[in-house]
Amino acid sequence: MAFVCHDRGVTTALIYLVVMLLVAAVVFLLAAVVFGRGEELAPLPPGGSPTRLPAEDITAEDVHAVRYQMVLRGYKMSEVDWVMRRLGVEIEDLRAKVAELEEEREGAR
Protein backbone atom coordinates (compact mmCIF):
# COMPACT_ATOMS: atom_id res chain seq x y z
CA MET A 1 0.00 0.00 0.00
CA ALA A 2 1.61 3.27 -1.14
CA PHE A 3 1.16 6.52 0.72
CA VAL A 4 0.16 9.33 -1.63
CA CYS A 5 0.04 12.96 -0.48
CA HIS A 6 -2.61 15.01 -2.24
CA ASP A 7 -2.17 18.17 -0.18
CA ARG A 8 -1.29 20.99 -2.60
CA GLY A 9 0.31 23.11 0.16
CA VAL A 10 2.83 20.41 1.09
CA THR A 11 3.72 19.82 -2.55
CA THR A 12 4.19 23.56 -3.17
CA ALA A 13 6.34 23.92 -0.04
CA LEU A 14 8.55 21.02 -1.15
CA ILE A 15 8.96 22.53 -4.60
CA TYR A 16 9.95 25.88 -3.06
CA LEU A 17 12.43 24.11 -0.78
CA VAL A 18 14.05 22.24 -3.67
CA VAL A 19 14.26 25.42 -5.78
CA MET A 20 15.81 27.34 -2.84
CA LEU A 21 18.40 24.61 -2.34
CA LEU A 22 19.28 24.67 -6.04
CA VAL A 23 19.61 28.47 -6.05
CA ALA A 24 21.77 28.33 -2.90
CA ALA A 25 24.02 25.71 -4.51
CA VAL A 26 24.42 27.80 -7.68
CA VAL A 27 25.22 30.94 -5.66
CA PHE A 28 27.75 29.02 -3.54
CA LEU A 29 29.47 27.57 -6.61
CA LEU A 30 29.54 30.96 -8.32
CA ALA A 31 31.05 32.57 -5.21
CA ALA A 32 33.65 29.77 -4.96
CA VAL A 33 34.70 30.34 -8.57
CA VAL A 34 34.84 34.14 -8.26
CA PHE A 35 36.42 34.44 -4.80
CA GLY A 36 38.52 31.28 -4.69
CA ARG A 37 38.25 28.11 -2.73
CA GLY A 38 40.70 28.88 0.09
CA GLU A 39 43.85 27.67 -1.60
CA GLU A 40 47.11 29.35 -0.63
CA LEU A 41 48.73 31.90 -2.90
CA ALA A 42 51.90 30.88 -4.67
CA PRO A 43 55.06 32.05 -2.86
CA LEU A 44 57.03 34.96 -4.24
CA PRO A 45 60.29 34.09 -6.00
CA PRO A 46 63.42 34.40 -3.81
CA GLY A 47 64.28 38.06 -3.33
CA GLY A 48 60.94 39.17 -4.77
CA SER A 49 58.67 41.60 -3.00
CA PRO A 50 55.46 43.37 -3.94
CA THR A 51 56.67 46.52 -2.16
CA ARG A 52 59.76 48.63 -2.67
CA LEU A 53 62.24 50.03 -0.14
CA PRO A 54 65.79 51.32 -0.54
CA ALA A 55 68.51 48.70 -0.13
CA GLU A 56 70.02 50.64 2.80
CA ASP A 57 69.60 53.85 4.81
CA ILE A 58 65.83 53.45 5.15
CA THR A 59 64.23 56.56 6.60
CA ALA A 60 60.84 57.18 8.16
CA GLU A 61 59.70 58.75 4.89
CA ASP A 62 60.66 55.56 3.03
CA VAL A 63 58.57 53.49 5.41
CA HIS A 64 55.65 55.94 5.21
CA ALA A 65 55.80 55.75 1.40
CA VAL A 66 55.45 51.94 1.29
CA ARG A 67 52.12 50.90 -0.18
CA TYR A 68 50.68 47.43 -0.53
CA GLN A 69 48.69 46.06 -3.41
CA MET A 70 44.96 46.08 -2.80
CA VAL A 71 43.65 42.53 -2.75
CA LEU A 72 40.31 40.98 -1.99
CA ARG A 73 41.70 38.80 0.79
CA GLY A 74 44.45 40.73 2.52
CA TYR A 75 45.56 42.57 5.59
CA LYS A 76 43.57 45.20 7.43
CA MET A 77 45.06 48.39 6.06
CA SER A 78 44.72 50.39 9.29
CA GLU A 79 46.85 47.83 11.13
CA VAL A 80 49.51 47.78 8.41
CA ASP A 81 49.61 51.59 8.40
CA TRP A 82 49.97 51.64 12.20
CA VAL A 83 52.90 49.21 12.05
CA MET A 84 54.57 51.24 9.32
CA ARG A 85 54.23 54.48 11.32
CA ARG A 86 55.60 52.75 14.40
CA LEU A 87 58.58 51.36 12.49
CA GLY A 88 59.29 54.74 10.96
CA VAL A 89 59.44 56.38 14.40
CA GLU A 90 61.66 53.60 15.71
CA ILE A 91 64.09 53.91 12.80
CA GLU A 92 64.36 57.67 13.29
CA ASP A 93 64.98 57.21 17.04
CA LEU A 94 67.71 54.66 16.38
CA ARG A 95 69.39 56.90 13.80
CA ALA A 96 69.36 59.81 16.27
CA LYS A 97 70.95 57.63 18.97
CA VAL A 98 73.64 56.39 16.57
CA ALA A 99 74.44 59.95 15.48
CA GLU A 100 74.66 61.07 19.13
CA LEU A 101 77.02 58.20 20.01
CA GLU A 102 79.21 58.93 16.99
CA GLU A 103 79.44 62.60 18.04
CA GLU A 104 80.45 61.56 21.57
CA ARG A 105 83.09 59.22 20.20
CA GLU A 106 84.49 61.92 17.92
CA GLY A 107 84.51 64.39 20.85
CA ALA A 108 86.42 61.95 23.03
CA ARG A 109 89.26 61.66 20.48
Side-chain angles (χ1 to χ4, degrees):
M1 181 169 168
F3 178 73
V4 179
C5 179
H6 293 285
D7 187 7
R8 241 191 217 308
V10 172
T11 304
T12 304
L14 287 175
I15 290 174
Y16 281 135
L17 181 64
V18 169
V19 169
M20 283 188 348
L21 289 174
L22 288 174
V23 168
V26 168
V27 168
F28 175 78
L29 291 174
L30 182 63
V33 168
V34 171
F35 298 114
R37 292 172 295 280
E39 65 270 1
E40 291 185 25
L41 297 174
L44 290 173
S49 174
T51 58
R52 299 288 182 252
L53 283 173
E56 54 189 36
D57 295 329
I58 297 173
T59 64
E61 287 76 28
D62 295 328
V63 174
H64 290 299
V66 170
R67 294 293 175 249
Y68 299 95
Q69 294 178 4
M70 296 299 292
V71 295
L72 183 63
R73 295 178 287 177
Y75 298 104
K76 187 174 180 181
M77 293 303 292
S78 61
E79 292 177 358
V80 173
D81 290 341
W82 175 84
V83 169
M84 291 292 105
R85 283 191 302 275
R86 177 70 177 87
L87 288 173
V89 169
E90 187 69 23
I91 290 170
E92 288 300 316
D93 289 345
L94 290 173
R95 286 184 181 275
K97 288 178 185 176
V98 168
E100 180 182 322
L101 291 172
E102 287 178 347
E103 286 177 14
E104 287 178 10
R105 186 177 65 179
E106 291 296 321
R109 287 187 180 175

